[in-house]
């Protein structure tokens, strides 16, 4: 029903207010947000600020009250008396006391409905009657007895009816400890006080007055009353009925009532299995906190107030429940109606009562009906702000404000322990107010769970934590608060009686820790270290609390000194402004723990998971056929030697079984061994806990992997997969998210197995780490074993000592991860992970391919005598080729050209290994380059060219491009060299072979980059020089052996000269190839001698001789390099004889140097002699030439010195080389001056 928009004074309901199901909201005019609320009211002469916003109301629209005629007799019952009335709500019958007026948990009912306000925004949650009673303490002699609970910064106040409690104690014995304490310290002669007849008479006459005032027209449609109403026609009905409102300690229904009437105020009943399944991961499930609704209702935890009001009194924010009837009909849209005996003046207590009621409900006017002995006399209307100034009831609103602030400060300073029940007590007629900690007193008894407030407090702690977890924009700085709430909740509960709440709380505790969050650089900046004032310690010793005035000191009674937490020595102190300041510093322990590393964070998560699993397991009846597992006995982690493994074939079988199982998961054909009912809270909770444990173990494994602790990493990933295997056994509907986790776990497992294979030298240390187990891990495993054998992934997690097996297992892990991505649409939903899996598959297939290729090469090197390729070698080639082919396909499918090129390059290398295997099939002397070699080298070239095409250009990946180019050049060079050295003359003509060699050499040269300044440049220069040398030698040989075609001979002569020249230039660039340079130059000289032999004229011969001598002069560079190395070798033994052999230059082969030196000496001697002869003969014929004479004389001197040097057999190699260098220097001077040398 919608109310009149004008009636904004009391009943306006803000948008988004937590109205309960089935109840109408009134029109929205006031907003929950302070900025949108109406202006504050300044009431009374002292300007006290008050603002009230109705958060919820079940009252119908207000109608005017019926003004009764004078002389109306209120002692006579009206026709509608005690009938249900929407206008009065529960007020009519509550006044008579035959409803459950003093609900012990009324504040909890409100707190559950407005969970957002608890712990944060609101200071106090209570019934308006309790608020009034507290604020009247200095004015009243009546007793005060209230239970106080702290949740965060919020205090919950409830009436603690001592008489009712002790009546219950007499019947059930539940509260005997409190009764004994009360009688011992407070009232030794306690007895139940009965209310007078006058009391019940006044109650009845007020009830009749209200029924008269609503006219009894019944026009308004009845709204179901939230209280359990009973019709009664007698004013002295049994007031003992109130006793039923107290539940037995820790009543918690085991099952949910299916009776729709069990739901309060039209709420839809919700099943209690709405556990915190996805608290942090799925905040959409807003019904999370409804877990205990039916439990609340059965314990009287309903919110039975007609309206709930957010009342701000000065700076105090209170959530207040009120049942006061509000009417229309005055000068204002809302009035409250009161009945007064004309013979009794209004006193201060009554005035404060009326004033506070109107403030709380934001009612601007009070209508009083005066009567004498039940006969109506007159009506009087009073504005709310005028109430403090009425005759005989004059009071200061500022004093009331001071009382409120002092009481709140007193309670906040002393009620510091969350989850504890405090008792605020003032005896009747006493001025002393005492505060006791009932939880501490209760714990001193035999049964610490005797406190009936424990269960509602635990539920509220749980609900507040849930609510904070559900907020999407929740800042992490509140995680410390949430953790405190949950730890206190768990601490309050008996594990054997409340496994569900404990399991849920532990799961939420584990959810607080973000497992995959990056480590903070500076922990001091982390929001997790900031702690709001709601987080405090219950673990540290409480410090003595006192303010500067010492007003918290206890009384002189020694018994009270031990029991009371704090004492107000005189109620008069409450009226002193700021007498009690809330100076108690709440310490931020239970602040969110700072985890310094990933392992610490995961271990905390696993500790909570284990507690949750224990709670779930304890609630499941053990089946008789379940093995009795002893948690103290370690479960052996299965270790198999390669001798017991069933090899790759067995792996294939296990993989097939695994994939079948994954297929059945999609159909939901799974069940656990412990007999949990699918859908039960145990089933749902265990699933979530197991999934959390698997994630934690996965993160631990990943962390160990990054630390290179591969044995530990394998142990953790084994536990993660065992957890997941159990999850699969329990799960009835596999979520794609969980399948993705499994794919990630298997990917990591593959990585670990690969790293173990590559670090075989540390195998013993890895094995030791793998077999180690913590007690926590053992206990989690035992819980898992209740549901599953946990062997579903045994094939992936065994630590083998065989390299091939480890590589195969790694490959199977990646294949399984890839298969899982194919089951549903995971591949397209997680493209990054899919690409990573395929990259790893390509990589492991490359590793396996290289492994088989190396094995084949090893077999080949062992095959000394055999002339044919063995079947084992061929089998290894096939395996290697298959792996490379699959790997290439993997990389090509994700457009990874670089890695595809590397695998094509390795395939080319495999083809070269195959070619090399066929080269040893014949005798070395009869050996020819075989067709099989040519075939495989041709295939190798094809694969290298494919690799280059895959890369496209060098810019794509210069290092890989250069590597492939080098391998291709090497292949062409090897092929050409083998054809040149072992020419297949039985199959091909010499010319064809020479042509093929020349083409291959030139292709090799094309792919040999001598210009780029890379690490490989010297190698490329050496290769290019060698190619030019070989080509020059080949053309030189062709020229020697060729007869006939003069054009071809001339072409060969030019080519030979060109290549010798290029070879010499390239060798000169290298510092470590003096012998090669010397050999090239000697061959050039031999080539010149060959040309000279075919010349007839002396001038031509002389010219050729001069060119040859010029080449000889250029060999000086090579001899200088040789001398330098020889000098270094000679000096080395003087320093350390023992290292001379090891450190001598491996580039200098002295035997070869001696051989080349001898050839050089003989050729130089021959050239000088021929030069002397020719020049001498030409001198006779021609006229004198001074320059020629000089050259001739020089040549004679050099020739003479050379003959003497070669004749000396005792000269050392170094001395001989020094002589040669000296002679060459003389020769260089001679040829330079003569100008006759050929360039």
């Amino acid at each position: 029903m919608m109310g009149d928009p004008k009636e904004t004074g009391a009943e306006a309901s803000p948008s988004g207010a937590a109205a309960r199901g089935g109840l109408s909201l009134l029109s929205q005019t006031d907003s929950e947000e302070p900025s949108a609320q109406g202006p504050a009211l300044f009431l009374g002469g002292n300007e006290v600020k008050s603002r009230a916003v109705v958060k919820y109301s079940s009252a119908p629209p207000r109608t005017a009250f019926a003004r009764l005629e004078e002389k109306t007799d209120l002692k006579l019952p009206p026709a509608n008396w005690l009938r249900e009335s929407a206008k009065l709500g529960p007020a009519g019958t509550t006044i008579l006391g035959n409803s459950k007026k003093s609900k012990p948990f009324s504040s909890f009912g409100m707190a559950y409905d407005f969970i957002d306000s608890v712990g944060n925004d609101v200071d106090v949650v209570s019934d308006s009657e309790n608020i009034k009673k507290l604020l009247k303490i200095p004015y009243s002699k009546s007793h005060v007895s209230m239970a106080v609970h702290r949740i965060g910064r919020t205090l919950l106040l409830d009436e603690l009816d001592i008489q009712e409690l002790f009546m219950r104690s007499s019947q059930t014995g539940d509260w005997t400890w409190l009764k004994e304490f009360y009688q011992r310290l407070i009232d030794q002669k306690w007895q139940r006080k009965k209310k007078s007849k006058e009391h019940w008479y006044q109650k009845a006459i007020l009830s009749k007055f209200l029924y008269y005032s609503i006219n009894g027209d019944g026009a308004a449609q009845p709204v179901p009353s939230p209280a359990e109403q009973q019709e009664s026609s007698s004013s002295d009905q049994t007031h003992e009925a109130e006793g039923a409102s107290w539940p037995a300690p820790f009543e918690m229904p085991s099952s949910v009532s299916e009776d729709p009437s069990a739901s309060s105020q039209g709420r839809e009943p919700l099943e209690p299995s709405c556990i915190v399944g996805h608290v942090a991961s799925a905040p959409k499930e807003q019904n999370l906190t409804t877990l205990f609704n039916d439990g609340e209702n059965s314990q009287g935890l309903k919110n039975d107030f007609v309206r709930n009001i957010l009342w701000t009194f000065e700076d105090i924010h209170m959530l207040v429940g009120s049942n006061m009837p509000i009417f229309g009909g005055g000068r204002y849209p809302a009035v409250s109606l009161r009945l007064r005996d004309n013979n009794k003046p209004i006193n201060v207590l009554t005035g404060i009562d009326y004033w506070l009621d109107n403030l709380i409900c934001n009612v601007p006017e009070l209508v009083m009906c005066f009567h004498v002995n039940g006969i109506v006399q007159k009506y009087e209307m009073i504005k709310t702000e005028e109430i403090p100034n009425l005759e005989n009831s004059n009071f200061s609103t500022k004093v009331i404000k001071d009382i409120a602030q002092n009481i709140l400060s007193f309670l906040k300073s002393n009620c510091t322990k969350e989850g504890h029940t405090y008792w605020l007590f003032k005896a009747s007629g006493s001025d002393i107010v005492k505060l006791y900690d009932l939880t501490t007193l209760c714990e001193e008894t035999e049964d610490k769970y005797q406190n009936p407030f424990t269960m509602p407090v635990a539920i509220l702690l749980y609900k507040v934590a849930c609510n904070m977890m559900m907020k999407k924009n929740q800042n992490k700085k509140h995680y410390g608060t949430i953790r405190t709430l949950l730890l206190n909740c768990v601490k309050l509960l008996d594990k054997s009686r409340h496994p569900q709440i404990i399991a849920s709380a532990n799961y939420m505790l584990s959810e607080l820790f973000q497992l995959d969050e990056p480590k903070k650089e500076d922990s001091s900046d982390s929001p997790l270290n900031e702690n709001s004032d709601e987080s405090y310690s219950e673990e540290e010793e409480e410090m003595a609390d006192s303010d500067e005035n010492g007003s918290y000191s206890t009384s002189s009674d020694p018994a009270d000194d031990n029991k009371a937490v704090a004492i107000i020595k005189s109620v008069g102190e409450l009226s002193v402004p700021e007498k009690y300041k809330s100076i108690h510093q709440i310490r931020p322990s239970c602040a969110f723990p700072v985890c310094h590393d990933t392992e610490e964070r995961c271990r905390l998560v696993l500790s909570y998971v284990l507690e949750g699993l224990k709670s779930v397991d304890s609630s499941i009846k053990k089946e008789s056929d379940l093995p009795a597992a002893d948690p103290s006995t370690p479960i052996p982690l299965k270790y198999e030697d390669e001798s017991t493994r069933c090899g790759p074939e067995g792996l294939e079988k296990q993989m097939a079984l695994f994939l079948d199982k994954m297929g059945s998961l999609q159909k939901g054909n799974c069940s656990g061994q412990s007999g949990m009912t699918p859908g039960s809270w145990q089933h749902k909770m265990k699933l979530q806990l197991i999934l959390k444990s698997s994630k934690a173990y996965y993160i631990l494994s990943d962390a160990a992997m990054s630390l290179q602790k591969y044995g530990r990493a394998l142990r953790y990933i084994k536990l993660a997969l065992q957890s997941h295997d159990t999850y699969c056994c329990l799960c009835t509907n596999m979520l794609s998210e969980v399948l993705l986790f499994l794919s990630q776990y298997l990917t990591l497992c593959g990585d670990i197995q690969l790293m173990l294979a590559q670090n075989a030298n540390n195998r013993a240390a890895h094995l030791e780490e793998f077999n180690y187990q913590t007690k926590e891990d053992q206990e989690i495993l035992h819980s898992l074993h209740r549901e599953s054998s946990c062997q579903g992934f045994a094939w992936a997690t065994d630590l083998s000592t065989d390299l091939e097996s480890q590589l195969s297992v790694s490959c199977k892990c990646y294949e399984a991860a890839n298969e899982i991505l194919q089951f549903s649409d995971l591949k397209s939903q997680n493209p990054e992970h899919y690409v990573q899996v395929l990259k790893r598959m390509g990589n492991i297939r490359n590793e396996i391919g290289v492994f088989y290729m190396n094995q084949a090469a090893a077999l080949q090197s062992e095959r000394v005598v055999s002339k044919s390729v063995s079947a084992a070698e061929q089998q290894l080639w096939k395996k290697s080729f298959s792996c490379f082919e699959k790997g290439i396909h993997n990389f090509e499918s994700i457009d990874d050209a670089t890695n595809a090129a590397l695998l094509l390059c390795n395939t080319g290398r495999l083809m070269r290994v195959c070619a090399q295997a066929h080269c040893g099939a014949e005798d070395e002397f009869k050996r020819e380059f075989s067709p099989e070699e040519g075939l495989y080298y041709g295939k190798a070239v094809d694969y290298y060219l494919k690799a280059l095409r895959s890369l496209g250009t060098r810019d794509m990946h210069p290092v890989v491009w250069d590597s492939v180019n080098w391998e291709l050049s090497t292949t062409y060079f090897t092929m050409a060299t083998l054809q040149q050295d072992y020419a297949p003359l039985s199959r091909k003509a010499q010319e064809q072979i020479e042509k093929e060699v020349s083409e291959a050499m030139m292709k090799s040269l094309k792919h040999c980059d001598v210009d780029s300044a890379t690490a490989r440049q010297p190698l490329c220069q050496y290769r290019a020089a060698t190619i030019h040398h070989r080509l020059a030698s080949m053309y030189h040989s062709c020229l020697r052996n060729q007869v006939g075609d003069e054009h071809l001979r001339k072409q060969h002569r030019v080519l030979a000269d060109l290549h010798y020249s290029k070879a010499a230039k390239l060798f000169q660039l290298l510092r470590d190839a003096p012998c090669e340079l010397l050999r090239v130059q000697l061959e050039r000289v031999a080539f010149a001698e060959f040309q000279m032999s075919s010349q007839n004229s002396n001038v031509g011969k002389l010219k050729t001789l001069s060119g040859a001598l010029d080449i000889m002069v250029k060999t000086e560079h090579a001899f200088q390099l040789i001398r330098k190395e020889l000098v270094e070798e000679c000096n080395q033994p003087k320093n350390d004889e023992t290292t001379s052999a090891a450190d001598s230059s491996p580039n200098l082969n002295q035997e070869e140097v001696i051989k080349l030196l001898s050839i050089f000496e003989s050729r130089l001697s021959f050239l000088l002699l021929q030069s002397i002869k020719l020049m001498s003969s030409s001198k006779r014929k021609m006229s004198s030439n001074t320059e020629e004479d000089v050259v001739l004389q020089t040549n004679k001197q050099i020739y003479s010195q050379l003959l003497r040097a070669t004749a000396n057999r005792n000269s050392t190699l170094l001395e001989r080389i020094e002589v040669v260098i000296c002679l060459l220097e003389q020769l260089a001077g001679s040829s330079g001056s003569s100008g006759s040398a050929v360039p």
Side-chain angles (χ1 to χ4, degrees), residues 75 87 149 323 328 422 477 514 757 894 1163:
K75 294 191 291 295
K87 295 180 183 178
H149 296 91
N323 288 326
Y422 292 90
K477 72 180 181 181
Q514 299 300 312
I894 54 172
R1163 295 335 295 159

Side-chain angles (χ1 to χ4, degrees), residues 528-565:
L528 297 183
N529 291 336
E530 299 171 17
N531 299 289
S532 51
D533 61 350
E534 297 94 322
S535 300
Y536 57 89
S537 170
E538 78 287 306
E539 294 161 6
E540 300 175 31
E541 287 186 22
E542 292 296 326
M543 298 167 65
D545 299 319
S546 62
D547 68 359
E548 63 239 8
N549 302 319
S551 53
Y552 291 173
S553 61
T554 55
S555 70
S556 58
D557 185 350
D560 285 346
D561 289 347
N562 298 328
K563 301 297 181 182
V565 174

Side-chain angles (χ1 to χ4, degrees), residues 92 170 177 521 549 568 581 704 719 770 777 799 898 922 1108 1182 1206:
S170 304
W177 59 275
E521 290 293 324
N549 302 319
I568 298 173
K581 290 181 182 176
L719 287 162
F770 177 67
D777 294 340
L799 180 55
T898 306
E922 295 180 25
M1182 298 174 68
T1206 51

Side-chain angles (χ1 to χ4, degrees), residues 6 27 48 95 161 209 272 333 367 463 487 564 567 746 790 803 878 899-900 905 922 1062 1072 1159 1237:
K6 294 177 184 177
S27 62
V48 175
I95 288 167
D161 190 335
F209 164 68
V367 175
K463 284 200 164 194
L487 287 174
I567 294 175
L746 287 166
C790 300
L803 181 60
K878 286 177 184 175
N899 280 316
C905 190
E922 295 180 25
K1062 286 184 177 180
D1072 54 355
I1159 296 170

Side-chain angles (χ1 to χ4, degrees), residues 5 156 210 319 413 429 462 556 632 742 757 778 882 965 1108 1111:
L156 275 66
L210 289 173
L319 182 62
S413 298
Y462 175 84
S556 58
S632 62
L742 179 55
Q778 291 169 24
S882 172
N965 246 334
I1111 292 168

